[in-house]
Every structure is written in C-alpha cells, then in structure tokens.
Amino acid sequence: MLHWMVPVGRSWQSVVAGYLALFSIVVWILGPVALGLGVWALARARREGAHGTGRAVFAVVVGLLSTFAMGLLVLSALA
C-alpha cells in the first residue's frame, strides 16, 4: 500500500517526469522537458517492466498540453 503514496520501485525518470508535468501546468516552459522525460520514462518502463508507466503517461499528456499552451502564447504574442 505504500507504493501508492511514495514512489517506491519506480525509475527516477518517471518520478521526475511526473513532478515536472505537475509544475508545467503553471510554468509552461517546463512542458517540453516533461514531455521528453515522459517519453524516455515510458520507453524505460516498457523495456524493464510496467513500473512507472502511469507517471510517464501523465507526463507525456500534460507535457503535450503545456507545450501546446506555450506555443499558443508565443503565437499570440507574435501576432
């Protein structure tokens, strides 16, 4: 039951990607970093077992959304 609250037995990539994705909701510049680290964590989780897959998928989805929002902000500033 401890693994639901504390990231035990997860790769460091999936843990960091999950936290970066959370921060990228507010700080959009972290979106591409969360996306890249999430893809790396997802590849590692699939190669070595399913541990950390949920955090990696969360990082990819939120990283994509944050990157898209940042792109819209940049485009609106240029227009």
Side-chain angles (χ1 to χ4, degrees):
M1 193 67 169
L2 183 64
H3 69 278
W4 284 91
M5 297 167 54
V6 180
V8 178
R10 310 296 186 258
S11 68
W12 68 269
Q13 290 94 345
S14 65
V15 174
V16 172
Y19 284 119
L20 275 176
L22 281 175
F23 291 133
S24 75
I25 293 171
V26 178
V27 183
W28 291 340
I29 196 78
L30 295 175
V33 179
L35 176 62
L37 201 55
V39 169
W40 183 19
L42 191 59
R44 183 171 176 182
R46 299 215 178 205
R47 186 178 57 238
E48 296 178 4
H51 299 295
T53 304
R55 290 174 189 264
V57 169
F58 174 76
V60 168
V61 170
V62 174
L64 274 172
L65 293 174
S66 295
T67 302
F68 182 70
M70 183 180 64
L72 286 178
L73 181 70
V74 169
L75 286 176
S76 69
L78 293 176

